[in-house]
Amino acid sequence: EVQLLESGGGLVQPGGSLRLSCAASGFTFSSDAMTWVRQAPGKGLEWVSIISNNGGATSYADSVKGRFTISRDNAKNTLYLQMNSLRAEDTAIYYCAKGRVLNYWGQGTLVTVSS
Amino acid sequence: QTVVTQEPSFSVSPGGTVTLTCGLSSGSVSTSHYPSWYQQTPGQAPRTLIYSTNTRSSGVPDRFSGSILGNKAALTITGAQADDECDYYCVLKVGSGISVFGGGTKVTVL
């Protein structure tokens, strides 16, 4: 059974940093691209970033480019999202999802950016 | 900036059929955009329904189907049930590895 478990969310001040993790199990992690998607309170889904199966290629939404960095450790079956220079508008539930087609989702971790 | 468009809301009668669409602010949607559809009930993570235009995700009933209709991607729900009442999102691959979600459609079954 595919399982994705996000962690690392919390309350952070504007301008601060946070690193999210997504622990994967139930599939061959190193064979799949992985994606981060977020959802601000009461809003729709927003695609954030994707990383290829070997970490060699990444892409970002314009809203986070230059501030967020996606990475992965295939030996640990874990996906990461390093978030720097956080803004109030980054407040959201952050989901990791399997593959380019997002065919499995985690339950999400809440990031709140507030002073 | 690429905008993906969806109807804000739709109503369907129990047992009825509804077709939701997913378009682009400029240009037509094709299979090259790998349209995918997700269902989300309040407080829950999204659930994948359809990916790559018309491939049903594991466990999704066949009353959900995806297609290209004209210049848009489409999700059709046949035989609507009460628990189909929730939000539906599409996503399109728009290039350079980047994807964009539509704003979502709230479906009401009544």
Side-chain angles (χ1 to χ4, degrees), chain A residues 39 44-45 47 59 101-102 105-106, chain B residues 38 40 45 48 89 96-97 99 101:
Chain A
Q39 187 169 35
L45 300 173
W47 186 94
S59 295
V101 299
L102 318 181
W105 296 66
Chain B
Y38 307 88
Q40 189 181 34
T48 306
Y89 295 91
S96 301
S99 294
F101 278 96

Side-chain angles (χ1 to χ4, degrees), chain A residues 39 42-43 93 95 107, chain B residues 39-46 83-89 106-107:
Chain A
Q39 187 169 35
K43 303 296 185 182
I93 295 173
Y95 297 100
Q107 286 303 303
Chain B
Q39 179 189 58
Q40 189 181 34
T41 53
Q44 299 295 315
D83 58 6
D84 294 335
E85 184 166 296
C86 57
D87 296 325
Y88 293 83
Y89 295 91
K106 185 176 185 63
V107 170

